[in-house]
Amino acid sequence: LWAALLLCGGGVALALSWRRAPEAAFWASLFWIAWSPLARADNIGGAIGTTALLAQERWIYLPAVAILGGVTSLAVQAAARWVEEEGAVGRRGRPMRWGALGIGIPLLLGLGAAAGTHARVQRDPFAQLAQLYEMPEEALGRVGRANRLMYYAWRVALPSGDLADAIERAEAAVELVPDSPIYARGLAGLRGQAGEWEEAHRLVSTWLDADSTFLARQSETNYRVYDDFNRVGGELWLVRAEAEGRLGRPERAGPAFCSAIARGQPVELVLRAVDRTPGVERPLRCG
């Protein structure tokens, strides 16, 4: 943390030193312009805070452009000084410039390709699934193996009509990571599609009815459990609401749908679930 703060402070100092070192000030300022949108408010462990460090790999690409630009600029200046000292500006200057471009352009193109690949993997579940299968088994932890099982269940087995295989894989994922609600929610959704609403209700209620002691106990083996719960809390309520209606308890389904909206579920998605849930009528009356 102290090293990161010193680095940030040094960058700010460089950005303000335009009179003494204008080129360094330019690249430092470009770095801060590129980095500033990446600072974000995050919800981790139930507390809102500002994430000030580049903690995830997908946050490095924009700042890396400024860093590579600064390094290339310094390399070009060093090469120019060397050419002048050798006294052969005409003979060596042009090859040196083309050499600098030949190094800098492939670096930037490679950076762009890596950023594009990473962005595609982040947003495309099929790319995520392919990446998980391409990784060697020993490189996958329990979360990686659980993700592979769950992605396959939802993106391959279920669309192919093999619901039994999808449920089997999702159950294996829950066994691998029982301390995260993400996989319980995935299995509950599949159980609901199979008409097993009692089991779906039980899976989501394990987390929705849990107290702080339960979550603290899960955090001993999964330090991201609070973040996981915040990510899928609305989806858990949505499954529970539909399960309540399917099990003949529509008076409980309405408040659960309202809880799903309060936890960030899109209203259109919730209303579609309301339409297919027996006994629940529009409009929803949420306080």
Side-chain angles (χ1 to χ4, degrees), residues 90-126:
R91 184 160 47 91
R92 293 178 179 171
R94 186 171 297 174
M96 289 299 297
R97 295 191 195 97
W98 283 110
L101 288 174
I103 294 172
I105 290 175
L107 276 174
L108 293 175
L109 289 176
L111 182 68
T117 300
H118 194 85
R120 185 171 64 252
V121 169
Q122 288 291 319
R123 301 187 65 170
D124 184 354
F126 294 103

Side-chain angles (χ1 to χ4, degrees), residues 239-264:
V239 174
R240 183 172 184 169
E242 191 168 354
E244 296 284 11
R246 301 280 183 171
L247 294 172
R249 300 188 290 262
E251 70 282 357
R252 298 183 184 178
F257 279 125
C258 292
S259 295
I261 294 174
R263 292 299 299 269

Side-chain angles (χ1 to χ4, degrees), residues 145-263:
R145 292 195 295 274
N147 285 341
R148 185 170 62 185
L149 288 164
M150 195 63 75
Y151 279 131
Y152 191 98
W154 276 94
R155 303 295 178 178
V156 180
L158 183 61
S160 300
D162 196 346
L163 184 56
D165 182 37
I167 290 175
E168 183 179 351
R169 290 174 185 272
E171 285 178 338
V174 172
E175 290 178 6
L176 280 170
V177 191
D179 47 7
S180 172
I182 293 176
Y183 307 97
R185 183 266 171 267
L187 177 57
L190 293 170
R191 289 289 190 188
Q193 296 207 25
E196 302 171 4
W197 289 104
E198 195 71 53
E199 179 63 15
H201 186 279
R202 184 193 66 80
L203 284 164
V204 298
S205 295
T206 299
W207 290 93
L208 292 176
D209 296 338
D211 57 13
S212 58
T213 303
F214 174 82
L215 293 175
R217 189 164 61 250
Q218 305 309 311
S219 69
E220 294 174 1
T221 52
N222 176 17
Y223 72 96
R224 292 181 57 88
V225 66
Y226 294 99
D227 192 35
D228 292 348
F229 184 74
N230 287 331
R231 284 173 57 193
V232 299
E235 297 177 29
L236 294 172
W237 277 109
L238 192 57
V239 174
R240 183 172 184 169
E242 191 168 354
E244 296 284 11
R246 301 280 183 171
L247 294 172
R249 300 188 290 262
E251 70 282 357
R252 298 183 184 178
F257 279 125
C258 292
S259 295
I261 294 174
R263 292 299 299 269

